[in-house]
Amino acid sequence: MLEKSSAEMVLRPASDAVFALLDGRSMLFSEAGQKIFELDRVGAFIWCKLAQGASLEDTYQGLETLGIDEHTARQFTRQVVNVWIDRALLEVDWRMPTDCAYAFSAILGRHRIGVRAANRDLLRQLLSLFCVSDQSAGGGDDIEIEAMMLDEQVFLRGEDSSISRCQVEALAPTIKAHITERLIRSNRWTFSLHAASLVKDGMGLLLCGQPGAGKSTLTLQLADAGLRYAGDDVALVGADGTICGIPFALTLKEGSWDLLSRLHGDRYDATHCRSDGVRVRYVPIPDAHQECFSASWIIFLNRVASGPGELTVIDQLDSMKRLIENAFAADGRLSQAGFFALKRIVAGARSFQLTYSEAVEARRVLMDLCNGRA
């Protein structure tokens, strides 16, 4: 059972939503969506109660006077409220104290992230995402997020007042996706790469590969071997070709949980559910690398069913083509500035394809490479 939220939530009709009757039938018109939605008798009752400023509890009790039992009243109200929120027919508002105790900040991708939660349990869910919080005083947050409970759902509000919702077990993955999207679209970066990143004595290592190639598992192995963790999913690239990872806590899918248990015991056994249904666990890596770096090695992972770990040299043009396939820009297009930044990365690094079947063997091969023995 989650702790009760300390802030009060208010639901009210959107300013551009109009309720009307036509031939005895109830309807809503959305000016923004340019659509008409018909309401049945119960839906019309709920809408009118909310329009009068009634709370959800008052609405439930009102439905009971119509002969609807409490459980059904709550269930139906939650369903229609979710639909109306998703269609921007309802506005959701809440106010948390400015000195909210359930808050923290973090630095990711040279942006200050501020998070406030309505209770301790929500904050604990969110904290699992981050390797380290930012303790510096002063300064506004570039990206702000507030989390609030309504019944069994979490509602999220960004600094632009946009509202989204998710189930509690999906909270951390939803927030991670939101922050990552904001960072990718930031004008501080020319583009981003779908790659894990680590640093060895100031020299950067990029791990590129399709989902299932083993980037996160291999990243965990390399961090355990002494490389500094900089991110396991997205790397941000500046116009000068320098790279900045996004060091969220390392995300591990179910296939890597045995390895996680062997390395860390049951310290990180809390399970979260992504929007695609995949279950994950988060592992905060101590002393995560926050600064920009230059890539010294670019590794394209090729995971196979069996066989030894083997590095194959890739020429710069082939490396460039592969990286472009894994690049993301705010407007969906790689600009000329992005192209030249990518050229700088490739020209300053050695590129390889790593064919492997076991993460332990891949770790040995890459540590040999980083230590000058390959």
Side-chain angles (χ1 to χ4, degrees):
M1 177 68 70
L2 284 174
E3 179 184 344
K4 185 178 179 181
S5 296
S6 60
E8 189 69 27
M9 179 176 284
V10 177
L11 299 174
R12 56 175 174 264
S15 58
D16 71 326
V18 178
F19 176 82
L21 292 171
L22 182 63
D23 194 23
R25 296 163 71 179
S26 301
M27 69 181 70
L28 296 176
F29 169 64
S30 169
E31 182 180 350
Q34 291 291 292
K35 288 185 178 180
I36 290 176
F37 305 94
E38 185 176 359
L39 302 179
D40 61 15
R41 183 174 68 98
V42 177
F45 178 87
I46 295 171
W47 180 270
C48 292
K49 291 289 287 185
L50 294 177
Q52 294 166 6
S55 67
L56 287 179
E57 288 296 329
D58 290 339
T59 304
Y60 301 150
Q61 294 174 12
L63 288 173
E64 290 182 48
T65 65
L66 300 180
I68 300 174
D69 66 87
E70 181 182 358
H71 174 74
T72 303
R74 289 178 177 272
Q75 185 179 46
F76 190 84
T77 301
R78 285 197 294 265
Q79 289 174 349
V80 296
V81 163
N82 286 343
V83 171
W84 291 342
I85 290 173
D86 292 344
R87 292 175 175 173
L89 295 168
L90 276 184
E91 294 178 351
V92 186
D93 191 24
W94 66 84
R95 290 176 177 82
M96 284 192 270
T98 55
D99 59 347
C100 175
Y102 307 121
F104 72 97
S105 294
I107 301 294
L108 291 173
R110 291 191 171 178
H111 286 67
R112 184 180 171 95
I113 317 296
V115 178
R116 294 202 299 169
N119 61 52
R120 185 182 296 104
D121 297 300
L122 287 180
L123 185 67
R124 188 180 300 115
Q125 291 264 344
L126 293 168
L127 278 171
S128 65
L129 265 180
F130 299 89
C131 292
V132 63
S133 61
D134 176 51
Q135 304 298 330
S136 61
D141 295 317
D142 300 305
I143 301 174
E144 297 177 349
I145 298 171
E146 289 184 347
M148 170 77 177
M149 286 293 299
L150 177 61
D151 290 334
E152 300 304 316
Q153 287 190 108
V154 182
F155 283 77
L156 307 170
R157 179 168 60 193
E159 69 279 358
D160 59 354
S161 298
S162 60
I163 302 290
S164 58
R165 61 185 178 87
C166 66
Q167 297 299 313
V168 174
E169 61 271 17
L171 174 58
T174 301
I175 291 292
K176 179 180 179 181
H178 173 81
I179 295 175
T180 300
E181 178 74 11
R182 289 295 314 279
L183 293 175
I184 288 174
R185 295 187 178 280
S186 166
N187 57 14
R188 299 183 189 182
W189 306 103
T190 305
F191 66 96
S192 61
L193 293 170
H194 182 53
S197 49
L198 300 108
V199 177
K200 163 76 172 174
D201 297 330
M203 298 183 292
L205 170 72
L206 292 179
L207 295 178
C208 308
Q210 297 300 316
K215 290 190 300 297
S216 294
T217 304
L218 187 49
T219 299
L220 178 63
Q221 292 267 14
L222 293 171
D224 185 63
L227 269 63
R228 287 191 68 188
Y229 169 74
D232 72 332
D233 189 32
V234 172
L236 305 167
V237 179
D240 60 354
T242 57
I243 299 164
C244 182
I246 307 179
F248 283 112
L250 185 65
T251 305
L252 293 179
K253 300 174 188 174
E254 199 165 356
S256 302
W257 293 354
D258 285 343
L259 171 63
L260 176 61
S261 296
R262 292 197 298 272
L263 294 178
H264 295 280
D266 59 357
R267 289 179 60 195
Y268 307 114
D269 59 355
T271 302
H272 307 262
C273 186
R274 299 191 323 199
S275 59
D276 58 4
V278 174
R279 299 194 303 156
V280 298
R281 290 178 179 172
Y282 294 116
V283 185
I285 305 297
D287 193 32
H289 188 85
Q290 294 273 13
E291 304 301 321
C292 290
F293 59 89
S294 296
S296 296
W297 306 281
I298 302 170
I299 308 298
F300 298 96
L301 299 180
N302 177 36
R303 193 174 182 182
V304 295
S306 61
E310 182 180 18
L311 286 173
T312 305
V313 175
I314 294 177
D315 65 48
Q316 292 185 356
L317 180 58
D318 188 13
S319 179
M320 187 90 165
K321 290 178 179 178
R322 294 191 189 198
L323 286 177
I324 287 177
E325 292 177 357
N326 289 282
F328 306 92
D331 61 357
R333 297 170 59 84
L334 184 67
S335 65
Q336 290 186 17
F339 169 81
F340 284 112
L342 195 57
K343 180 175 178 292
R344 291 187 187 98
I345 293 173
V346 172
R350 300 166 65 195
S351 299
F352 301 90
Q353 176 171 288
L354 172 60
T355 301
Y356 77 103
S357 59
E358 298 294 334
V360 174
E361 175 67 6
R363 162 179 151 166
R364 182 192 64 77
V365 171
L366 291 180
M367 290 305 299
D368 284 347
L369 176 68
C370 294
N371 290 322
R373 295 196 296 267

